Amino acid sequence: MDLSKLATEGRNPDTLDIDRLSTLQIVERINREDQKIAAAVHTALPAIAQIVDEAVTAFQSGGRLIYLGAGTSGRLGILDASECPPTYGTPPELIQGLIAGGQEAVFRAVEGAEDSLSLAGEDLDGISLTSSDLVVGIAASGRTPYVIGGLRHARIRGCKTAAVVCSGHSEMEQAADITAVVIVGPEVIMGSTRMKAGTAQKMVLNMITTASMIRLGKVYSNLMIDVQATNAKLVERAKRIVALATGADRPEIEAALEATGGAVKPAVTMLLANVDAALALKLLQRADGYVAKAVEFSRG
């Protein structure tokens, strides 16, 4: 293995003196490198859009989005998956993250787990992988055996596969149907891919799940109308979302939310269409969950 050929393992010529800088100069240098990340992600937007479309197709056919990664990449997949249920009201199993080494590896390194080509296949079978699922591998280097093995296993099972990598011409790119290649260049500290590469991966995963949730009707305007009001802050956020979406006053909003059991989307539909909760739910079902379409249906 020749790490010197990997974009993520190069030595950054702009930070050779970072150990001799003041604290302010260090963070300025890090920030300067971070400013390159969004431009790198921009070059991968067509591939990211393709991954989103495949995710939507998977969801609409009863499948799931499954992330695979090791170390930082695996943790980022788990983080992205775990934030979707409270934000968009998705069932926990709809978007899942698998990490080399299992749950223990979320908190501390499990040595050697990422070097197995077969372990990810076992992990995928452990969550009953089906051909309707979309499997997305994540790795800065694009050469992590755990992820490569998982992508190959998923393909054999008939799944669509995708990869998010920060190095070009990688084995993962060959193993996946679609690859978002985000070349962020050498890290501030050589090989510390939790930095620029990790930030780029987080940005891409944010796009995949956010855009797919928009496509599924879980956003009205730019409001997350399937938010789950599971704590006091989110209860108030739910009320504010209904207010912004409808312009209704607080008593109307609270009455609508009470009628829908706290569910924002049918409450918004009730108020915009001037219907009761039962009819709002029927309209949303007919409109495949899209509030704007449900309101149009209510008007004939």
Side-chain angles (χ1 to χ4, degrees), residues 24 29 32 41 43 68 70 81 99 111 115 122 124 170 225 235-236 248 275 280 285 291:
L24 178 58
R29 201 69 63 88
R32 186 188 306 168
V41 171
T43 65
L68 286 177
I99 185 170
E111 301 300 336
D115 295 329
E122 296 171 14
L124 288 166
S170 67
I225 51 170
V235 167
E236 288 306 309
V275 298
Q285 186 175 19
V291 170

Side-chain angles (χ1 to χ4, degrees), residues 111-171:
E111 301 300 336
E114 70 175 68
D115 295 329
S116 169
L117 278 168
S118 62
L119 187 58
E122 296 171 14
D123 290 345
L124 288 166
D125 287 343
I127 60 169
S128 303
L129 184 72
T130 76
S131 59
S132 297
D133 297 327
L134 170 65
V135 177
V136 178
I138 315 163
S141 67
R143 55 150 301 277
T144 305
Y146 175 84
V147 183
I148 294 167
L151 290 171
R152 291 173 179 168
H153 183 84
R155 267 187 161 178
I156 291 170
R157 293 302 174 90
C159 300
K160 279 287 186 178
T161 58
V164 179
V165 301
C166 296
S167 293
H169 310 293
S170 67
E171 291 178 75

Side-chain angles (χ1 to χ4, degrees), residues 261-278:
V264 172
K265 183 186 285 186
V268 168
T269 306
M270 282 178 63
L271 293 168
L272 289 177
N274 195 26
V275 298
D276 62 21

Side-chain angles (χ1 to χ4, degrees), residues 9 27-28 31 36 51 85 113 115 148 160 227-228 246 277:
E9 295 291 336
V27 295
E28 285 176 339
N31 178 250
K36 302 173 183 178
I51 296 171
D115 295 329
I148 294 167
K160 279 287 186 178
V227 65
Q228 299 295 292
T246 67

Side-chain angles (χ1 to χ4, degrees), residues 28-61:
E28 285 176 339
R29 201 69 63 88
I30 293 171
N31 178 250
R32 186 188 306 168
E33 291 298 311
D34 285 346
Q35 290 176 38
K36 302 173 183 178
I37 299 170
V41 171
H42 183 267
T43 65
L45 290 180
I48 295 168
Q50 284 185 273
I51 296 171
V52 171
D53 287 340
E54 291 296 343
V56 172
T57 298
F59 297 145
Q60 291 176 334
S61 62

